[in-house]
Amino acid sequence: MFKFIRQYIKATDWFYLLLCISCSVLSVIALLSIGMDNGGFQLDAFTGEITGLGNYRDALVQAGASCIGIVCAIILSCIDYRSLAKIWPVHVGITWGLVLLTLTHLTIGPITLGYAPSNTDNYSWIRVSSLSLQPTELAKISFILTFAMHLDNVREHVNEPKTLAKLLLHILVPVVIIHIQGDDGTGIVFACIGCMMLFSAGLSWKYILSAVAAGAVGLAAVLNFFPDMLKGYQVDRILALLYPDDPAYRDIIQQQKGGRVAIGSGEILGRGFFNDDHSYVINAQDDFIFSYLAQCIGFVGCAIVLAMLFGIAIRTLTTGLRSEDHIGTYICVGVFAAMAWQIIINLGMNTMLLPVVGVTLPFLSAGGSSVLMMYLCVGLVCSVYIHNKKTLFST
């Protein structure tokens, strides 16, 4: 066993894994602090005895999911990523089969298909008793693998209209399915992953600039002339950013205003964890974990956290550059896109630069499905690292 551990540490990118694990440790600490702020354990009203995990449940789930994720990442990294891509019918059938089940909105005993957490229209969850799973998070892994293989098969013809149309259809189908679920934030991330992987495969700039222009014109047209194409709350979230002081959007923008105040309240060194001196932030454990961290560890701490996330993202790209084949590069670019765009969108939400779209901060936001997906991505990147001998300076 010890021999295997030594060999694995020597073969894998241990610094990459250490950065990811450090983020998870910080996440659990922050969630424990949030749990204490919100009342801690569930207590009996008469005896005062502990009867449940209460507000510490998120921290326990995060710790458990992180440990399971690390084990899965290590196991996955020992499997050649080329083999994982070749068995695409298996993971596509499992992950997207679960995603399609969420469209049924059925409850069978303790199982609820198409479950939506409170105060959302996002029916992308499967709930079993008190546990829940978001299959679209796992489907990101399958999408990255299948799209990498698709790009590898047609890389010499990416800019041919017929080939490009098929590639765009490969991206559009999952985005449409996720839109039907009501999880447009995840749909945006899928689209960003696909577009960055296309770019890495050599997509012509004429297509890229045309797509950006068409997207900008299309969004403006929808907001001004076809607002019914978006849900009412989605339009309101966009307008609330443009008119934050309008009383009509007071409740909608309250969460983001609270998050921005919390970020500023941390000042240089922060207020620390596990005390009662924190500004209240709605859903701080989920999409607004960065705002909570900012008031706990301040500007200096946030700079360190962002450096860690940046390091993970850059390490992912450099692993792709050392890949001996294109499919390894495409996989790493896909993982990088998933991480980078979730970081950009989440920070934009926390700082009132982007509307709230329900995108988590990698490794840090509460959510077992999100954490597990990230560690599976880490496993894929480590697989590319281990199963390649090429270095960045090889000719």
PDB file of all heavy atoms in Angstrom, residues 16-44:
ATOM      1  N   TYR A  16      -1.207  20.118  -7.605  1.00  0.00           N
ATOM      2  CA  TYR A  16      -2.564  20.373  -8.121  1.00  0.00           C
ATOM      3  C   TYR A  16      -3.605  19.828  -7.154  1.00  0.00           C
ATOM      4  O   TYR A  16      -4.560  20.521  -6.794  1.00  0.00           O
ATOM      5  CB  TYR A  16      -2.678  19.708  -9.488  1.00  0.00           C
ATOM      6  CG  TYR A  16      -3.980  19.894 -10.226  1.00  0.00           C
ATOM      7  CD1 TYR A  16      -4.385  21.140 -10.673  1.00  0.00           C
ATOM      8  CD2 TYR A  16      -4.793  18.810 -10.521  1.00  0.00           C
ATOM      9  CE1 TYR A  16      -5.563  21.309 -11.387  1.00  0.00           C
ATOM     10  CE2 TYR A  16      -5.972  18.959 -11.229  1.00  0.00           C
ATOM     11  CZ  TYR A  16      -6.357  20.204 -11.664  1.00  0.00           C
ATOM     12  OH  TYR A  16      -7.519  20.364 -12.368  1.00  0.00           O
ATOM     13  N   LEU A  17      -3.412  18.581  -6.719  1.00  0.00           N
ATOM     14  CA  LEU A  17      -4.340  17.975  -5.768  1.00  0.00           C
ATOM     15  C   LEU A  17      -4.351  18.735  -4.450  1.00  0.00           C
ATOM     16  O   LEU A  17      -5.406  18.931  -3.838  1.00  0.00           O
ATOM     17  CB  LEU A  17      -3.960  16.512  -5.526  1.00  0.00           C
ATOM     18  CG  LEU A  17      -4.269  15.514  -6.651  1.00  0.00           C
ATOM     19  CD1 LEU A  17      -3.652  14.158  -6.330  1.00  0.00           C
ATOM     20  CD2 LEU A  17      -5.778  15.384  -6.840  1.00  0.00           C
ATOM     21  N   LEU A  18      -3.180  19.182  -4.010  1.00  0.00           N
ATOM     22  CA  LEU A  18      -3.071  19.904  -2.739  1.00  0.00           C
ATOM     23  C   LEU A  18      -3.843  21.216  -2.792  1.00  0.00           C
ATOM     24  O   LEU A  18      -4.516  21.595  -1.811  1.00  0.00           O
ATOM     25  CB  LEU A  18      -1.604  20.164  -2.413  1.00  0.00           C
ATOM     26  CG  LEU A  18      -1.315  20.816  -1.051  1.00  0.00           C
ATOM     27  CD1 LEU A  18      -1.814  19.928   0.076  1.00  0.00           C
ATOM     28  CD2 LEU A  18       0.183  21.073  -0.895  1.00  0.00           C
ATOM     29  N   LEU A  19      -3.794  21.922  -3.921  1.00  0.00           N
ATOM     30  CA  LEU A  19      -4.546  23.162  -4.064  1.00  0.00           C
ATOM     31  C   LEU A  19      -6.050  22.893  -3.955  1.00  0.00           C
ATOM     32  O   LEU A  19      -6.780  23.637  -3.279  1.00  0.00           O
ATOM     33  CB  LEU A  19      -4.235  23.816  -5.411  1.00  0.00           C
ATOM     34  CG  LEU A  19      -2.900  24.542  -5.550  1.00  0.00           C
ATOM     35  CD1 LEU A  19      -2.705  25.008  -6.991  1.00  0.00           C
ATOM     36  CD2 LEU A  19      -2.825  25.734  -4.605  1.00  0.00           C
ATOM     37  N   CYS A  20      -6.516  21.844  -4.618  1.00  0.00           N
ATOM     38  CA  CYS A  20      -7.940  21.500  -4.581  1.00  0.00           C
ATOM     39  C   CYS A  20      -8.391  21.127  -3.170  1.00  0.00           C
ATOM     40  O   CYS A  20      -9.434  21.585  -2.689  1.00  0.00           O
ATOM     41  CB  CYS A  20      -8.243  20.351  -5.542  1.00  0.00           C
ATOM     42  SG  CYS A  20      -7.896  20.704  -7.273  1.00  0.00           S
ATOM     43  N   ILE A  21      -7.592  20.307  -2.497  1.00  0.00           N
ATOM     44  CA  ILE A  21      -7.924  19.878  -1.136  1.00  0.00           C
ATOM     45  C   ILE A  21      -7.922  21.073  -0.181  1.00  0.00           C
ATOM     46  O   ILE A  21      -8.783  21.178   0.712  1.00  0.00           O
ATOM     47  CB  ILE A  21      -6.944  18.792  -0.660  1.00  0.00           C
ATOM     48  CG1 ILE A  21      -7.136  17.514  -1.494  1.00  0.00           C
ATOM     49  CG2 ILE A  21      -7.151  18.488   0.817  1.00  0.00           C
ATOM     50  CD1 ILE A  21      -6.074  16.462  -1.258  1.00  0.00           C
ATOM     51  N   SER A  22      -7.005  22.006  -0.370  1.00  0.00           N
ATOM     52  CA  SER A  22      -6.943  23.203   0.480  1.00  0.00           C
ATOM     53  C   SER A  22      -8.221  24.023   0.352  1.00  0.00           C
ATOM     54  O   SER A  22      -8.750  24.541   1.353  1.00  0.00           O
ATOM     55  CB  SER A  22      -5.728  24.055   0.110  1.00  0.00           C
ATOM     56  OG  SER A  22      -4.528  23.347   0.318  1.00  0.00           O
ATOM     57  N   CYS A  23      -8.737  24.144  -0.879  1.00  0.00           N
ATOM     58  CA  CYS A  23      -9.996  24.865  -1.090  1.00  0.00           C
ATOM     59  C   CYS A  23     -11.146  24.159  -0.375  1.00  0.00           C
ATOM     60  O   CYS A  23     -12.021  24.809   0.219  1.00  0.00           O
ATOM     61  CB  CYS A  23     -10.296  24.969  -2.586  1.00  0.00           C
ATOM     62  SG  CYS A  23      -9.268  26.151  -3.477  1.00  0.00           S
ATOM     63  N   SER A  24     -11.148  22.830  -0.408  1.00  0.00           N
ATOM     64  CA  SER A  24     -12.209  22.078   0.257  1.00  0.00           C
ATOM     65  C   SER A  24     -12.156  22.241   1.767  1.00  0.00           C
ATOM     66  O   SER A  24     -13.190  22.366   2.431  1.00  0.00           O
ATOM     67  CB  SER A  24     -12.115  20.593  -0.118  1.00  0.00           C
ATOM     68  OG  SER A  24     -12.450  20.383  -1.466  1.00  0.00           O
ATOM     69  N   VAL A  25     -10.954  22.235   2.324  1.00  0.00           N
ATOM     70  CA  VAL A  25     -10.798  22.437   3.769  1.00  0.00           C
ATOM     71  C   VAL A  25     -11.334  23.815   4.166  1.00  0.00           C
ATOM     72  O   VAL A  25     -12.071  23.957   5.158  1.00  0.00           O
ATOM     73  CB  VAL A  25      -9.322  22.289   4.189  1.00  0.00           C
ATOM     74  CG1 VAL A  25      -9.122  22.724   5.642  1.00  0.00           C
ATOM     75  CG2 VAL A  25      -8.860  20.847   3.999  1.00  0.00           C
ATOM     76  N   LEU A  26     -10.980  24.837   3.399  1.00  0.00           N
ATOM     77  CA  LEU A  26     -11.471  26.180   3.663  1.00  0.00           C
ATOM     78  C   LEU A  26     -12.988  26.230   3.566  1.00  0.00           C
ATOM     79  O   LEU A  26     -13.659  26.894   4.375  1.00  0.00           O
ATOM     80  CB  LEU A  26     -10.852  27.172   2.677  1.00  0.00           C
ATOM     81  CG  LEU A  26     -11.290  28.627   2.808  1.00  0.00           C
ATOM     82  CD1 LEU A  26     -10.936  29.184   4.180  1.00  0.00           C
ATOM     83  CD2 LEU A  26     -10.666  29.491   1.719  1.00  0.00           C
ATOM     84  N   SER A  27     -13.560  25.513   2.587  1.00  0.00           N
ATOM     85  CA  SER A  27     -15.014  25.489   2.414  1.00  0.00           C
ATOM     86  C   SER A  27     -15.697  24.907   3.645  1.00  0.00           C
ATOM     87  O   SER A  27     -16.687  25.459   4.139  1.00  0.00           O
ATOM     88  CB  SER A  27     -15.373  24.671   1.173  1.00  0.00           C
ATOM     89  OG  SER A  27     -16.769  24.492   1.080  1.00  0.00           O
ATOM     90  N   VAL A  28     -15.186  23.802   4.161  1.00  0.00           N
ATOM     91  CA  VAL A  28     -15.798  23.166   5.331  1.00  0.00           C
ATOM     92  C   VAL A  28     -15.725  24.091   6.546  1.00  0.00           C
ATOM     93  O   VAL A  28     -16.681  24.219   7.313  1.00  0.00           O
ATOM     94  CB  VAL A  28     -15.115  21.815   5.626  1.00  0.00           C
ATOM     95  CG1 VAL A  28     -15.616  21.229   6.942  1.00  0.00           C
ATOM     96  CG2 VAL A  28     -15.372  20.826   4.488  1.00  0.00           C
ATOM     97  N   ILE A  29     -14.591  24.773   6.715  1.00  0.00           N
ATOM     98  CA  ILE A  29     -14.455  25.724   7.832  1.00  0.00           C
ATOM     99  C   ILE A  29     -15.493  26.832   7.708  1.00  0.00           C
ATOM    100  O   ILE A  29     -16.162  27.198   8.687  1.00  0.00           O
ATOM    101  CB  ILE A  29     -13.033  26.310   7.864  1.00  0.00           C
ATOM    102  CG1 ILE A  29     -12.017  25.226   8.211  1.00  0.00           C
ATOM    103  CG2 ILE A  29     -12.953  27.462   8.871  1.00  0.00           C
ATOM    104  CD1 ILE A  29     -10.568  25.674   8.089  1.00  0.00           C
ATOM    105  N   ALA A  30     -15.634  27.387   6.499  1.00  0.00           N
ATOM    106  CA  ALA A  30     -16.597  28.470   6.280  1.00  0.00           C
ATOM    107  C   ALA A  30     -18.025  27.988   6.536  1.00  0.00           C
ATOM    108  O   ALA A  30     -18.834  28.698   7.155  1.00  0.00           O
ATOM    109  CB  ALA A  30     -16.471  29.010   4.861  1.00  0.00           C
ATOM    110  N   LEU A  31     -18.356  26.790   6.099  1.00  0.00           N
ATOM    111  CA  LEU A  31     -19.712  26.261   6.284  1.00  0.00           C
ATOM    112  C   LEU A  31     -20.002  25.951   7.749  1.00  0.00           C
ATOM    113  O   LEU A  31     -21.140  26.116   8.214  1.00  0.00           O
ATOM    114  CB  LEU A  31     -19.910  25.012   5.420  1.00  0.00           C
ATOM    115  CG  LEU A  31     -19.928  25.263   3.907  1.00  0.00           C
ATOM    116  CD1 LEU A  31     -19.949  23.947   3.141  1.00  0.00           C
ATOM    117  CD2 LEU A  31     -21.123  26.125   3.507  1.00  0.00           C
ATOM    118  N   LEU A  32     -18.986  25.503   8.490  1.00  0.00           N
ATOM    119  CA  LEU A  32     -19.162  25.321   9.930  1.00  0.00           C
ATOM    120  C   LEU A  32     -19.441  26.658  10.610  1.00  0.00           C
ATOM    121  O   LEU A  32     -20.298  26.764  11.501  1.00  0.00           O
ATOM    122  CB  LEU A  32     -17.916  24.676  10.539  1.00  0.00           C
ATOM    123  CG  LEU A  32     -17.721  23.177  10.300  1.00  0.00           C
ATOM    124  CD1 LEU A  32     -16.344  22.742  10.773  1.00  0.00           C
ATOM    125  CD2 LEU A  32     -18.816  22.365  11.000  1.00  0.00           C
ATOM    126  N   SER A  33     -18.724  27.704  10.170  1.00  0.00           N
ATOM    127  CA  SER A  33     -18.929  29.043  10.724  1.00  0.00           C
ATOM    128  C   SER A  33     -20.327  29.560  10.406  1.00  0.00           C
ATOM    129  O   SER A  33     -21.006  30.139  11.259  1.00  0.00           O
ATOM    130  CB  SER A  33     -17.861  29.996  10.172  1.00  0.00           C
ATOM    131  OG  SER A  33     -18.029  31.295  10.688  1.00  0.00           O
ATOM    132  N   ILE A  34     -20.770  29.337   9.152  1.00  0.00           N
ATOM    133  CA  ILE A  34     -22.126  29.753   8.763  1.00  0.00           C
ATOM    134  C   ILE A  34     -23.159  28.989   9.580  1.00  0.00           C
ATOM    135  O   ILE A  34     -24.168  29.558  10.031  1.00  0.00           O
ATOM    136  CB  ILE A  34     -22.350  29.511   7.258  1.00  0.00           C
ATOM    137  CG1 ILE A  34     -21.475  30.459   6.435  1.00  0.00           C
ATOM    138  CG2 ILE A  34     -23.821  29.707   6.879  1.00  0.00           C
ATOM    139  CD1 ILE A  34     -21.483  30.170   4.944  1.00  0.00           C
ATOM    140  N   GLY A  35     -22.904  27.694   9.793  1.00  0.00           N
ATOM    141  CA  GLY A  35     -23.826  26.896  10.600  1.00  0.00           C
ATOM    142  C   GLY A  35     -23.957  27.421  12.009  1.00  0.00           C
ATOM    143  O   GLY A  35     -25.058  27.478  12.567  1.00  0.00           O
ATOM    144  N   MET A  36     -22.834  27.839  12.593  1.00  0.00           N
ATOM    145  CA  MET A  36     -22.881  28.402  13.938  1.00  0.00           C
ATOM    146  C   MET A  36     -23.624  29.730  13.946  1.00  0.00           C
ATOM    147  O   MET A  36     -24.406  30.016  14.857  1.00  0.00           O
ATOM    148  CB  MET A  36     -21.462  28.585  14.476  1.00  0.00           C
ATOM    149  CG  MET A  36     -21.419  28.925  15.957  1.00  0.00           C
ATOM    150  SD  MET A  36     -19.769  29.341  16.552  1.00  0.00           S
ATOM    151  CE  MET A  36     -19.599  30.992  15.864  1.00  0.00           C
ATOM    152  N   ASP A  37     -23.402  30.556  12.918  1.00  0.00           N
ATOM    153  CA  ASP A  37     -24.099  31.837  12.815  1.00  0.00           C
ATOM    154  C   ASP A  37     -25.609  31.641  12.773  1.00  0.00           C
ATOM    155  O   ASP A  37     -26.374  32.451  13.306  1.00  0.00           O
ATOM    156  CB  ASP A  37     -23.671  32.584  11.550  1.00  0.00           C
ATOM    157  CG  ASP A  37     -22.262  33.141  11.650  1.00  0.00           C
ATOM    158  OD1 ASP A  37     -21.685  33.083  12.757  1.00  0.00           O
ATOM    159  OD2 ASP A  37     -21.737  33.612  10.634  1.00  0.00           O
ATOM    160  N   ASN A  38     -26.047  30.548  12.126  1.00  0.00           N
ATOM    161  CA  ASN A  38     -27.482  30.313  11.925  1.00  0.00           C
ATOM    162  C   ASN A  38     -28.119  29.458  13.007  1.00  0.00           C
ATOM    163  O   ASN A  38     -29.267  29.029  12.861  1.00  0.00           O
ATOM    164  CB  ASN A  38     -27.712  29.659  10.566  1.00  0.00           C
ATOM    165  CG  ASN A  38     -27.382  30.591   9.421  1.00  0.00           C
ATOM    166  OD1 ASN A  38     -27.442  31.812   9.558  1.00  0.00           O
ATOM    167  ND2 ASN A  38     -27.006  30.032   8.278  1.00  0.00           N
ATOM    168  N   GLY A  39     -27.394  29.191  14.079  1.00  0.00           N
ATOM    169  CA  GLY A  39     -28.022  28.484  15.194  1.00  0.00           C
ATOM    170  C   GLY A  39     -27.410  27.144  15.522  1.00  0.00           C
ATOM    171  O   GLY A  39     -27.759  26.541  16.533  1.00  0.00           O
ATOM    172  N   GLY A  40     -26.530  26.639  14.686  1.00  0.00           N
ATOM    173  CA  GLY A  40     -25.836  25.395  15.004  1.00  0.00           C
ATOM    174  C   GLY A  40     -26.708  24.163  14.932  1.00  0.00           C
ATOM    175  O   GLY A  40     -27.537  24.011  14.039  1.00  0.00           O
ATOM    176  N   PHE A  41     -26.548  23.259  15.911  1.00  0.00           N
ATOM    177  CA  PHE A  41     -27.272  21.996  15.922  1.00  0.00           C
ATOM    178  C   PHE A  41     -28.762  22.198  16.164  1.00  0.00           C
ATOM    179  O   PHE A  41     -29.187  23.209  16.743  1.00  0.00           O
ATOM    180  CB  PHE A  41     -26.723  21.074  17.021  1.00  0.00           C
ATOM    181  CG  PHE A  41     -25.351  20.544  16.745  1.00  0.00           C
ATOM    182  CD1 PHE A  41     -24.260  20.977  17.488  1.00  0.00           C
ATOM    183  CD2 PHE A  41     -25.140  19.605  15.751  1.00  0.00           C
ATOM    184  CE1 PHE A  41     -22.997  20.492  17.242  1.00  0.00           C
ATOM    185  CE2 PHE A  41     -23.868  19.102  15.496  1.00  0.00           C
ATOM    186  CZ  PHE A  41     -22.795  19.551  16.244  1.00  0.00           C
ATOM    187  N   GLN A  42     -29.541  21.224  15.731  1.00  0.00           N
ATOM    188  CA  GLN A  42     -30.973  21.209  16.018  1.00  0.00           C
ATOM    189  C   GLN A  42     -31.166  20.711  17.449  1.00  0.00           C
ATOM    190  O   GLN A  42     -30.665  19.655  17.821  1.00  0.00           O
ATOM    191  CB  GLN A  42     -31.696  20.296  15.024  1.00  0.00           C
ATOM    192  CG  GLN A  42     -33.199  20.240  15.221  1.00  0.00           C
ATOM    193  CD  GLN A  42     -33.852  19.334  14.184  1.00  0.00           C
ATOM    194  OE1 GLN A  42     -33.282  19.044  13.143  1.00  0.00           O
ATOM    195  NE2 GLN A  42     -35.056  18.892  14.498  1.00  0.00           N
ATOM    196  N   LEU A  43     -31.888  21.475  18.259  1.00  0.00           N
ATOM    197  CA  LEU A  43     -32.050  21.155  19.669  1.00  0.00           C
ATOM    198  C   LEU A  43     -33.496  20.857  20.021  1.00  0.00           C
ATOM    199  O   LEU A  43     -34.432  21.377  19.385  1.00  0.00           O
ATOM    200  CB  LEU A  43     -31.552  22.316  20.543  1.00  0.00           C
ATOM    201  CG  LEU A  43     -30.105  22.786  20.321  1.00  0.00           C
ATOM    202  CD1 LEU A  43     -29.812  23.996  21.203  1.00  0.00           C
ATOM    203  CD2 LEU A  43     -29.119  21.665  20.613  1.00  0.00           C
ATOM    204  N   ASP A  44     -33.687  20.015  21.026  1.00  0.00           N
ATOM    205  CA  ASP A  44     -35.030  19.752  21.535  1.00  0.00           C
ATOM    206  C   ASP A  44     -35.527  20.988  22.271  1.00  0.00           C
ATOM    207  O   ASP A  44     -34.806  21.568  23.094  1.00  0.00           O
ATOM    208  CB  ASP A  44     -34.996  18.543  22.476  1.00  0.00           C
ATOM    209  CG  ASP A  44     -36.388  18.153  22.946  1.00  0.00           C
ATOM    210  OD1 ASP A  44     -36.847  18.744  23.950  1.00  0.00           O
ATOM    211  OD2 ASP A  44     -37.004  17.276  22.304  1.00  0.00           O
TER     212      ASP A  44
END
